[in-house]
Amino acid sequence: MSTAVVEPEGLFNFADWLLQRNQSRPTRTAFIDDTDRLTYGELDERVRRAAAGMLAAGLRRDERVLLLMHDNIDWPVMFLAALYAGVVPVAVNTLLTTEDYAYMLQHSRARAAWVSPALLPILRQAMTQAQANGGHAVQQVWCSGGAQEGAEALSALWQGTPLPAPATTDAHEPAFWLYSSGSTGRPKGTVHSQANLYCTAQHYGVGVLALREDDVCFSAAKLFFAYGLGNALSFPLAVGATVVLMAGRPTPEAVFARWVTHQTTVFFGAPTGYAGMLAAPDLPPREVVALRLCSSAGEALPKELGERFTAHYGVPIVDGIGSTEMLHIFLSNLPHDVRYGTTGWPVPGYEVSLRGDDGQAVADGEMGDLFIKGPSAALMYWGNREKSRATFQGEWTKSGDKYVRNADGTYTYAGRSDDMIKVSGIYVSPFEVEATLMQHQAVLEAAVIGVEDSDGLTKTKAYVVLKDGQACDAATLQAFVKDKLAPYKYPRQVAFVAELPKTATGKIQRFKLRDAQA
């Protein structure tokens, strides 16, 4: 792994850095989406034309633009063009409600919006609602599918002369926003700098994953997600690789089709997706795919899932943990040293600290709150001083996760701090119980929360999704957990459900299960 990463200081524009880096490969394919392809030479020209077009249309330096588009070639073009021009893209989840978008428009005061055709109706509703609530008016809308009523064609922005030079941005000035995924409530506007994309690409994409120019990368996680932004934009473009984009949901069938058709070499997924693929009847055999490496994030990868996948394909799943606040992964297994059941070691360039409720470091083997120090930390939560102070504590960022450091230096996930369950005065990790339940042959997924019994005492309750065609009862699963964990940890209640509530990025929303109990 490379550790000699010189972080940018002073004038630095990430989009310009990427374009300059790929000038030697103008005919190489940069992006493949559902209908089109774009070479690195075409990407360079389109980004600079779009940057000139948005400035000509009246957008000014530092103004925000809502980026509400499905994953296709237009998404990275507009994101990079905005950075090149010094305009700030606000990339948002494509699966939200009118109320969510109205809030984000008000909160970000976005002056314009870039939108996919299918999302234009809900954007219009959100704009109306935001204005009715006294929000900032969106003055221009561009649609990626061509001109629509109330929206100009996005392609009109790249019809003119390319912008000859990038905006003179500073490495540490605000460059783009992402909204936190909402696994614990209302999303927060997380502000990142120009340098943060560079730091994650160099420290993780190059330094840990060792991505190569001949790789074909495909991410199930979408570009609006911090994990997906690295996987499908900054990481592969930093080495001149090819990226496969898909607008629709990453069902097992859709993922398999792209593995086979495009001969994907590096795949980025989440535990939920890997579980679904391994349970799918049409899981492709090893001989028809070109995978050499897989990545997992979003939630900790259960040991059993990783082992089964590697047994089938002969390639590792490199499990790691990142966050919207840190932009990408900061604690990770290594391609040549995967220890399933753990999240590996700190990524070079990052430090981690586990602290108890008193703020002091905990000993190995003891559970503590995870803090991270590293170069890609967000600048702030926009307009939320209280949350910013609680999360960004000097050089350290509080992740909101509980971890245990093992004797070999690896770290084991224990759960989100606000998901922890205290039973008989002892913390129980919901993830530990969930991972144990998933070892049972009938279980596809599980989520565990704390509920009060008739005496007002907190006990564990498991929500279980069974695999298709499998049957099981609560007593069997309870006995299964008792046999593998300390007796007080087994779920006192088991509910069988068809699906679990999740964010668009695959994270289980345990708070919704808790709210349903209230």
Side-chain angles (χ1 to χ4, degrees):
M1 293 186 304
S2 170
T3 58
V5 176
V6 179
E7 292 153 18
E9 294 290 342
L11 293 179
F12 178 75
N13 185 289
F14 180 74
D16 182 55
W17 179 82
L18 276 185
L19 298 182
Q20 295 286 342
R21 195 169 178 83
N22 290 296
Q23 283 189 339
S24 63
R25 48 178 74 92
T27 61
R28 179 167 179 77
T29 300
F31 289 100
I32 304 169
D33 68 11
D34 296 339
T35 61
D36 204 359
R37 289 173 178 253
L38 199 69
T39 67
Y40 274 100
E42 291 167 335
L43 175 67
D44 183 297
E45 183 166 342
R46 191 171 295 183
V47 164
R48 293 189 298 114
R49 286 181 184 274
M54 65 181 72
L55 294 177
L59 286 173
R60 294 171 295 186
R61 176 81 175 264
D62 300 325
E63 287 186 323
R64 268 93 57 194
V65 179
L66 196 79
L67 200 172
L68 177 59
M69 295 197 298
H70 293 126
D71 282 20
N72 65 13
I73 286 170
D74 290 347
W75 203 109
V77 165
M78 297 313 298
F79 182 85
L80 292 173
L83 266 58
Y84 196 86
V87 173
V88 178
V90 179
V92 297
N93 187 331
T94 58
L95 300 172
L96 300 179
T97 65
T98 300
E99 290 71 23
D100 291 322
Y101 295 130
Y103 165 74
M104 291 172 177
L105 288 169
Q106 288 178 259
H107 183 243
S108 69
R109 297 197 294 277
R111 186 174 182 273
W114 302 320
V115 63
S116 291
L119 298 168
L120 184 56
I122 195 170
L123 174 64
R124 287 195 188 108
Q125 295 168 17
M127 289 165 56
T128 300
Q129 184 170 318
Q131 282 192 265
N133 293 337
H136 183 79
V138 174
Q139 297 179 14
Q140 294 170 296
V141 177
W142 287 277
C143 185
S144 66
Q148 307 275 338
E149 183 180 351
E152 299 178 57
L154 188 66
S155 58
L157 291 175
W158 57 74
Q159 300 305 315
T161 303
L163 194 65
T168 53
T169 51
D170 185 86
H172 304 299
E173 73 176 62
F176 64 100
W177 293 20
L178 300 173
Y179 275 91
S180 61
S181 58
S183 60
T184 57
R186 170 159 268 187
K188 298 175 287 292
T190 311
V191 183
H192 278 284
S193 71
Q194 292 275 349
N196 286 1
L197 289 160
Y198 173 92
C199 291
T200 55
Q202 294 297 86
H203 282 292
Y204 197 70
V206 175
V208 173
L209 298 181
L211 296 183
R212 310 187 305 237
E213 181 181 10
D214 62 348
D215 277 322
V216 177
C217 300
F218 174 48
S219 175
K222 300 299 185 179
L223 282 161
F224 66 76
F225 181 32
Y227 179 48
L229 183 62
N231 304 341
L233 197 155
S234 58
F235 291 7
L237 266 59
V239 299
T242 297
V243 181
V244 176
L245 298 175
M246 180 179 69
R249 289 180 57 244
T251 62
E253 296 74 19
V255 170
F256 299 156
R258 283 154 183 82
W259 284 1
V260 175
T261 301
H262 300 297
Q263 288 295 281
T264 300
T265 61
V266 182
F267 174 71
F268 301 86
T272 298
Y274 286 111
M277 287 187 288
L278 287 170
D282 54 348
L283 181 69
R286 182 187 301 194
E287 295 75 23
V288 303
V289 302
L291 294 173
R292 72 171 185 86
L293 182 67
C294 291
S295 168
S296 181
E299 294 237 281
L301 181 74
K303 183 174 185 287
E304 177 261 352
L305 277 182
E307 290 174 343
R308 284 174 54 208
F309 189 91
T310 297
H312 184 82
Y313 284 115
V315 299
I317 300 179
V318 180
D319 185 34
I321 182 176
S323 66
T324 304
E325 292 76 9
M326 295 302 294
L327 189 57
H328 214 276
I329 290 170
F330 48 79
L331 189 63
S332 178
N333 279 272
L334 308 174
H336 62 277
D337 192 357
V338 171
R339 303 192 185 181
Y340 288 129
T342 81
T343 317
W345 301 265
V347 170
Y350 294 77
E351 296 178 43
V352 302
S353 171
L354 298 185
R355 305 176 189 177
D357 293 339
D358 59 0
Q360 300 302 306
V362 300
D364 284 3
E366 293 184 10
M367 189 186 304
D369 289 305
L370 178 67
F371 286 75
I372 315 102
K373 181 166 69 173
S376 61
L379 301 174
M380 70 184 98
Y381 294 132
W382 185 265
N384 196 331
R385 188 176 180 85
E386 180 183 358
K387 288 288 187 181
S388 292
R389 282 179 165 176
T391 299
F392 306 109
Q393 301 180 13
E395 293 184 295
W396 294 91
T397 300
K398 185 176 183 180
S399 73
D401 298 290
K402 294 277 191 183
Y403 262 86
V404 174
R405 187 178 188 272
N406 305 311
D408 63 356
T410 60
Y411 289 75
T412 298
Y413 181 67
R416 291 288 298 173
S417 298
D418 35 23
D419 286 334
M420 298 306 296
I421 308 164
K422 212 165 195 179
V423 179
S424 301
I426 305 172
Y427 274 122
V428 173
S429 161
F431 178 76
E432 182 183 23
V433 182
E434 291 162 4
T436 302
L437 284 164
M438 288 178 63
Q439 293 176 35
H440 193 281
Q441 63 180 6
V443 176
L444 177 64
E445 292 182 304
V448 172
I449 63 170
V451 297
E452 286 191 0
D453 64 12
S454 58
D455 297 319
L457 301 175
T458 299
K459 303 297 181 184
T460 49
K461 178 175 182 177
Y463 290 82
V464 174
V465 179
L466 296 177
K467 295 176 182 175
D468 288 344
Q470 295 285 338
C472 196
D473 58 31
T476 298
L477 293 181
Q478 289 169 324
F480 183 80
V481 175
K482 280 184 184 179
D483 187 53
K484 295 180 179 294
L485 298 179
Y488 70 90
K489 296 181 180 181
Y490 86 92
R492 300 310 199 274
Q493 300 178 45
V494 177
F496 295 96
V497 294
E499 60 182 3
L500 299 173
K502 294 174 188 170
T503 69
T505 55
K507 293 181 182 179
I508 296 172
Q509 294 175 309
R510 294 174 187 83
F511 76 93
K512 289 191 175 180
L513 297 175
R514 291 194 294 269
D515 290 347
Q517 291 289 319

